[in-house]
Amino acid sequence: MEITTQQSGDVTELIAVGRLDGYWADHLSRALDDLMRVGSDRVCLRMEGIDYVSSLGIRVLVSAYKKFKTVKGSFVIAGPTGNVLTVLEMAGIATLLMTATAPVAAAAPSAATPTTAPPPVLPRELQRGTARYEVYALPGSGMNCHSFGAPLDSSDRVYAASDAHKLAIDAHSVTLGLGAFGADFAECQGRFGEFLAVEGAAACLPADGSNSCDTLLSQGNYVPDMQALYGLRCTGAYSQLVRFEPNAEGDHVTLSELIDLSLELAATPAACVVIAAESAGMIGASLRRSPATKTAGDDPLAFPDVRTWLSFTTEPAHARMSVVACGVVAQPQDVAAPLVPYLRPLGAEDGQLGHVHAAAFRFRPLQRGLLQVSQAVLPLFERDTPESVLHLLADDREPGERIESRFTRGAMWIAPLVAITGEQP
């Protein structure tokens, strides 16, 4: 199949020639995803040159219609002829794709019933380096942060049942740390690994050698729970939303750039952040073995044993995927005592500290403009299982070189930490 593009006003036209069968369906799907990634959200697929459509081809067309509708864009087809038109009509999608997404003119308001719609929320625009930002003010005043448990270190500490904390995966908190899904410590002992929980959705990568993520999702009155050895839990409300993307001079936005901006906007020494974005490559680590299986004398952080306990990305991973990341970040010069054992240098030149976990999903576009966390996060958990969960770090093994996680475009929610409490590790 050959695919070319041309612009017609604000509509991007894809001109396809050949067969839309199982072999070429992914080719078209990737082309449509690429248009979404560069912000083209009004697309017309011209099908005059398509002479065959299979069931997989139909699935791609329907999937594209739903994806573009999700981001308030449109996807239509034009010019199907002969057998292709017949197949689309028999599948019941010809009318839908040829007319249903066409823009509809709004009805003129009646003189007797004037409209009272609130004015649109307009963002403040910023330019920093090679990135462009839109900052929306939100009504929240910030979050309280509570640290719990004893982080993994080089001591002879051995985790026991008394170290397990039962956490509710509710829609009102942001939590990350080391945990597992199960009823008690005994069930989870060999599985404790990196996890994150946002908006009542949790993802965990069990450290049992399976390399297969687990997820839990709150639904209705059902609020699941999990076991955790240690972590950070933030509750409250976000004060700002930042939409970001590279400008004409760049091709990505780094994690350190986002953290610098979040702390500046929060105007506090520490903040909770949630990021939903397209990945341009993640750098981080995950556990190979559960620390609850460690015995006295084991040192998971010492070389060379660290290689059997931890898995590090050797190069940027999970590019072109959707990522949900969350964590606590802080200025190095003023870290509250309860956060000290949990925060690590993130590799930036200014010494910023943080504890950030990220879950990588198959790509799904975000809506534009003002967006709630639930609108960005929950569709990923409802439709997919994450490929991995990473503790984000910077790779500075090469002298003078620092490689860190980076994003193409996305959204970041910021909550200043207004109160910080914790247990004695």
Side-chain angles (χ1 to χ4, degrees), residues 227-376:
Q227 302 290 320
L229 294 180
Y230 62 82
L232 299 168
R233 188 171 180 88
C234 301
T235 57
Y238 306 98
S239 63
Q240 291 169 97
L241 160 65
V242 177
R243 302 304 303 257
F244 59 88
E245 62 181 8
N247 59 27
E249 299 175 358
D251 57 7
H252 64 261
V253 182
T254 65
L255 177 62
S256 60
E257 289 173 326
L258 293 177
I259 291 174
D260 281 342
L261 181 60
S262 69
L263 290 170
E264 176 186 331
L265 295 175
T268 54
C272 175
V273 297
V274 174
I275 300 170
E278 180 188 355
S279 166
M282 296 289 102
I283 297 291
S286 58
L287 279 166
R288 291 178 180 268
R289 297 165 57 187
S290 167
T293 63
K294 132 182 179 17
T295 59
D298 287 339
D299 188 353
L301 302 182
F303 185 84
D305 289 346
V306 66
R307 293 182 296 185
T308 67
W309 285 90
L310 289 172
S311 174
F312 295 90
T313 54
T314 56
E315 58 184 19
H318 311 301
R320 298 171 66 86
M321 300 185 73
S322 289
V323 167
V324 175
C326 66
V328 171
V329 297
Q331 302 283 6
Q333 63 271 20
D334 190 14
V335 181
L339 294 180
V340 171
Y342 304 86
L343 304 188
R344 299 287 183 270
L346 291 174
E349 294 177 357
D350 58 6
Q352 57 188 210
L353 303 175
H355 194 137
V356 181
H357 286 187
F361 297 81
R362 284 183 296 181
F363 175 73
R364 181 179 177 85
L366 290 176
Q367 293 182 19
R368 291 186 176 184
L370 188 61
L371 187 65
Q372 296 180 7
V373 179
S374 59
Q375 293 174 296

Side-chain angles (χ1 to χ4, degrees), residues 204-241:
C204 181
L205 180 61
D208 58 2
S210 66
N211 293 318
S212 179
C213 289
D214 291 335
T215 60
L216 283 175
L217 187 64
S218 298
Q219 293 179 318
N221 294 325
Y222 171 62
V223 179
D225 54 50
M226 65 179 295
Q227 302 290 320
L229 294 180
Y230 62 82
L232 299 168
R233 188 171 180 88
C234 301
T235 57
Y238 306 98
S239 63
Q240 291 169 97
L241 160 65

